[in-house]
Amino acid sequence: MESGRSRGCLEMWSEENCKLVVQLKNISVHAVNRREIVRQSHVSFSKLLEKIQGLPPTVSSIPLELTILYNTVVLSLSLSDTSQSVNSLLYEGLVRGLEAYDGHFDEPDITKLWAMISQSIHDPTFIQAVDQLICLQCVQWLVCNQLEKIDAVFHILRDRGFVEWKKDRPQTALQYFRWALQADIQCLSALYHAAMVYRQLEMVDAELEALNHLSVALDSWDQHKAGKDVDSQVLIRPEQLVQIPATCHLLTSVNWVHVKHLLARRFLQVGRFEDAAEHYLDLLASFLEESQREVFVVADYTIPRIPEIYLEAAVALLHCRRFNDVITVSEEIASKVTCLISENLTFEIRVNEWLSNDCSKSTEAPEINTSNRNCLLNGFSEWQILGTKKKETLNYILWSATAFLYQGQAFALLKNNKESITNFTRCINLLLKVQVVCPPDSGESDDLLETLKENMTELKILQKLKSLAFTGRGIQLTERGQNLEALQNLQLSLQAYPDSFETIYHLVEVLWKLERKQEAVTFWLKETEAKQRHKVNALKQIPLFVISCLKEINTTEEEAVSKKLEEYCSSFTKRT
């Protein structure tokens, strides 16, 4: 019975609130008695608030109570009532809201109350009502020159603009971002982070749409700034009054270059190569503009180095069969970076010393046993091996070699055999400048050295590039009828990167042409194992700019080779 009366009261009070709101909306801004009407409305809302607060707060009643509280405070502020009564109203309303969810708060600090509510209550209906009050609270503090409290609230909101996301509650986080956009369509930070949540949820179309809107909005914003230069001395900006967190700031949290790159890269990753190519070309053009030279870091994601972006663009253009553009973009990198490379680059790995200092923590250098080997692999630090200068030189080599690789692939697809081989050779010669060795007297095994090399990202990339270049050159030599030279290149490719099924396929074909059919059968028997390793290694972190644009071996081609080899094995068995 009590519950029925409560529902009846809520319905009646909700209707009364709506009636008062409509009356206010119908008042002309030029009405002579407007202020008096506003004052009377304020009295009516205050009385309505007293009625609903006469009942204990409940989950069902608190959203309406906070809505009426919001209307009451808005009218108080419009009547220039910035007295302590407004703070008291807000404080009491928030405490009642907390009590409705079985919470308790008895401290006088309202900023702590905001923080407690933000951390403990996750009901979307309640949070939406509370968010409306935050704006009014900030207005009240601004008028009273309590800027430090506004700063504290900004941090609370930011921790909440991410807490659901960090707690692996992407749907809840997404709802907060949507509310932010409903409140202000220009809240670009919310749009960006919504896109990141869509990515986590694997909603590719929604993610791309959000990033595209964000890119257009930022582009329009930049044009607006260029066409309308506002003197910073004329307007007071919020960040001049309070320390707004970077994640809440419109332009430091989302940058056009970063967003454009995200958009281009995602199109490339999902196989929409035409879209990717156009966005990459826009991005490369922007690097020539003074306004886009700064590259910002957003959240935990960083923009790659500019040469890597050029190489990603080359990948997209290769897939679009825009081979002349690939050659041009790659040449931009090769011409500017190759001249920075020294004659050779040697990395000397002192494994025993590293193990002694970082794994065993003892004064004596331990022997290389199984436990130490595992310790080494688990805690392996590239920075303890590569000096900063050498590491950067290695980057120069990788970028230049990749540029030559893509030029080689582009010329191959343009049927320019000579230029293709030339560029594959340039790629290989650069990569061969890098040597990784153990000191002669260290006693380290070659197996351990190879294991270490596999666990260094840059050297793993180097091996992959070397394999692609040798394979590319081998295929081109095959087309010229130079099968022995082609076989040698394909064998070197497998030495550099044994898990390439495409290389095995081409090597088997060359062996067959050379009438070394038994060897071809032996290699092909490794095909299943190689394909499985290839799938596993494909998941390893190889940068997007290091890919193979060689023609993939389809099922029909694979079956044709298998059938040919089976027939050979069958006939060979019968003869013997």
Side-chain angles (χ1 to χ4, degrees):
M1 193 70 170
E2 185 67 29
S3 176
R5 281 204 301 269
S6 176
R7 281 199 300 271
C9 288
L10 288 180
E11 291 173 1
M12 180 176 64
W13 292 332
S14 178
E15 291 174 2
E16 186 174 351
N17 175 73
C18 292
K19 181 180 178 181
L20 290 171
V21 170
V22 170
Q23 287 177 354
L24 278 172
K25 288 183 177 179
N26 290 333
I27 299 174
S28 170
V29 293
H30 302 294
V32 177
N33 59 340
R34 176 177 173 79
R35 182 171 179 80
E36 178 59 26
I37 295 175
V38 170
R39 191 190 64 78
Q40 292 176 0
S41 296
H42 175 253
V43 171
S44 299
F45 274 113
S46 297
K47 290 181 178 179
L48 181 58
L49 183 62
E50 289 178 3
K51 292 178 185 177
I52 195 169
Q53 289 184 340
L55 292 177
T58 63
V59 172
S60 59
S61 69
I62 205 65
L64 175 60
E65 178 176 335
L66 296 184
T67 298
I68 297 172
L69 173 61
Y70 174 88
N71 291 331
T72 305
V73 173
V74 166
L75 292 177
S76 294
L77 294 174
S78 68
L79 294 169
S80 300
D81 180 7
T82 58
S83 64
Q84 188 62 29
S85 61
V86 169
N87 283 329
S88 298
L89 285 172
L90 289 170
Y91 181 89
E92 183 178 356
L94 293 174
V95 169
R96 284 175 57 83
L98 194 60
E99 290 174 352
Y101 290 85
D102 299 323
H104 179 70
F105 187 83
D106 56 6
E107 296 185 42
D109 190 343
I110 195 171
T111 57
K112 291 184 179 179
L113 177 55
W114 283 113
M116 184 175 182
I117 288 174
S118 179
Q119 294 169 6
S120 60
I121 304 178
H122 304 287
D123 181 355
T125 305
F126 175 77
I127 293 296
Q128 194 169 19
V130 167
D131 282 350
Q132 296 173 337
L133 296 175
I134 289 179
C135 298
L136 297 181
Q137 179 73 81
C138 288
V139 170
Q140 171 72 2
W141 284 333
L142 185 61
V143 172
C144 297
N145 197 31
Q146 295 177 309
L147 304 181
E148 70 286 350
K149 292 184 178 180
I150 300 177
D151 189 38
V153 167
F154 272 131
H155 280 84
I156 291 170
L157 292 175
R158 175 201 61 182
D159 293 340
R160 191 181 74 196
F162 300 104
V163 69
E164 299 299 329
W165 195 359
K166 290 178 180 178
K167 287 183 178 179
D168 198 23
R169 291 201 285 244
Q171 294 288 2
T172 306
L174 188 60
Q175 187 62 47
Y176 284 133
F177 294 140
R178 284 171 176 164
W179 286 340
L181 288 168
Q182 289 172 3
D184 180 7
I185 194 61
Q186 293 300 321
C187 186
L188 303 185
S189 180
L191 189 55
Y192 167 78
H193 291 295
M196 295 302 99
V197 174
Y198 284 130
R199 174 178 297 186
Q200 182 180 347
L201 296 173
E202 299 183 353
M203 300 171 65
V204 176
D205 290 338
E207 177 195 348
L208 290 173
E209 184 180 1
L211 288 174
N212 190 60
H213 284 315
L214 187 55
S215 174
V216 172
L218 285 169
D219 192 36
S220 301
W221 178 263
D222 286 340
Q223 292 177 9
H224 172 74
K225 288 197 301 181
K228 186 179 180 181
D229 187 16
V230 179
D231 189 344
S232 61
Q233 295 181 356
V234 175
L235 300 178
I236 298 175
R237 297 179 179 177
E239 60 266 32
Q240 293 173 317
L241 300 177
V242 295
Q243 185 179 359
I244 300 177
T247 48
C248 295
H249 196 284
L250 179 65
L251 293 180
T252 56
S253 61
V254 282
N255 171 266
W256 183 88
V257 173
H258 181 89
V259 171
K260 195 71 171 177
H261 175 255
L262 276 178
L263 195 56
R265 170 175 274 202
R266 288 301 284 155
F267 275 123
L268 181 57
Q269 289 172 331
V270 300
R272 292 174 59 175
F273 302 120
E274 294 288 346
D275 291 320
E278 293 307 315
H279 285 293
Y280 272 117
L281 291 177
D282 288 345
L283 192 56
L284 299 189
S286 75
F287 291 150
L288 304 176
E289 301 174 11
E290 188 67 31
S291 61
Q292 297 294 355
R293 294 216 174 156
E294 281 191 76
V295 175
F296 290 89
V297 174
V298 182
D300 294 328
Y301 304 92
T302 59
I303 301 176
R305 305 280 291 275
I306 287 180
E308 294 182 14
I309 296 178
Y310 270 82
L311 294 172
E312 288 178 12
V315 172
L317 292 166
L318 266 172
H319 282 294
C320 294
R321 304 187 66 81
R322 296 170 62 170
F323 305 130
N324 288 318
D325 289 335
V326 173
I327 295 168
T328 300
V329 169
S330 298
E331 184 60 29
E332 186 74 13
I333 296 300
S335 62
K336 292 183 177 178
V337 179
T338 306
C339 61
L340 302 175
I341 298 172
S342 59
E343 192 61 29
N344 51 57
L345 187 64
T346 301
F347 296 106
E348 189 175 89
I349 302 180
R350 298 182 179 275
V351 181
N352 272 337
E353 179 180 336
W354 187 87
L355 281 170
S356 177
N357 292 337
D358 292 274
C359 279
S360 67
K361 302 298 181 184
S362 65
T363 56
E364 298 181 1
E367 295 181 1
I368 305 294
N369 55 31
T370 304
S371 61
N372 285 329
R373 184 188 296 258
N374 291 336
C375 180
L376 175 64
L377 296 181
N378 290 334
F380 195 67
S381 171
E382 298 169 18
W383 290 103
Q384 291 170 311
I385 294 176
L386 306 183
T388 304
K389 186 175 180 180
K390 284 190 173 183
K391 188 178 179 74
E392 188 68 350
T393 301
L394 179 56
N395 282 330
Y396 296 155
I397 291 176
L398 295 179
W399 295 333
S400 298
T402 307
F404 287 133
L405 175 73
Y406 292 154
Q407 284 185 323
Q409 292 184 353
F411 278 118
L413 293 166
L414 287 169
K415 306 301 181 182
N416 189 332
N417 189 267
K418 181 179 178 181
E419 284 296 325
S420 178
I421 291 176
T422 297
N423 281 281
F424 283 134
T425 302
R426 287 173 177 168
C427 174
I428 292 167
N429 289 341
L430 269 178
L431 297 173
L432 291 177
K433 288 179 178 289
V434 182
Q435 299 294 323
V436 182
V437 299
C438 285
D441 56 347
S442 66
E444 307 301 346
S445 67
D446 291 339
D447 289 342
L448 180 57
L449 182 60
E450 290 302 314
T451 303
L452 294 175
K453 287 163 66 175
E454 288 176 5
N455 284 271
M456 295 173 64
T457 303
E458 287 85 357
L459 296 180
K460 188 162 55 178
I461 296 170
L462 184 143
Q463 294 298 101
K464 178 66 173 177
L465 288 172
K466 194 183 295 184
S467 174
L468 291 172
F470 275 123
T471 299
R473 191 168 71 174
I475 293 171
Q476 293 304 300
L477 290 168
T478 303
E479 292 183 359
R480 297 177 67 169
Q482 297 174 250
N483 292 324
L484 284 174
E485 293 88 341
L487 178 61
Q488 184 181 34
N489 276 269
L490 293 170
Q491 289 171 332
L492 290 170
S493 174
L494 284 179
Q495 286 180 19
Y497 202 83
D499 301 334
S500 173
F501 173 65
E502 288 79 8
T503 305
I504 291 176
Y505 173 88
H506 289 292
L507 189 147
V508 167
E509 288 287 69
V510 171
L511 286 172
W512 190 267
K513 290 178 182 179
L514 291 170
E515 295 298 324
R516 295 164 61 172
K517 297 183 178 181
Q518 192 59 50
E519 290 181 60
V521 172
T522 302
F523 266 99
W524 194 250
L525 291 177
K526 299 179 181 179
E527 170 247 345
T528 303
E529 181 184 352
K531 284 184 70 176
Q532 188 61 36
R533 290 200 310 266
H534 179 73
K535 290 179 181 178
V536 173
N537 285 328
L539 300 176
K540 292 183 179 179
Q541 289 188 344
I542 296 290
L544 190 60
F545 71 85
V546 180
I547 58 95
S548 171
C549 284
L550 300 171
K551 177 178 175 293
E552 291 188 4
I553 308 305
N554 59 41
T555 304
T556 303
E557 292 171 315
E558 182 182 346
E559 290 175 351
V561 171
S562 295
K563 183 178 180 181
K564 178 170 62 177
L565 295 177
E566 287 172 3
E567 289 175 350
Y568 167 77
C569 289
S570 177
S571 62
F572 180 81
T573 303
K574 289 179 180 179
R575 289 198 302 270
T576 57

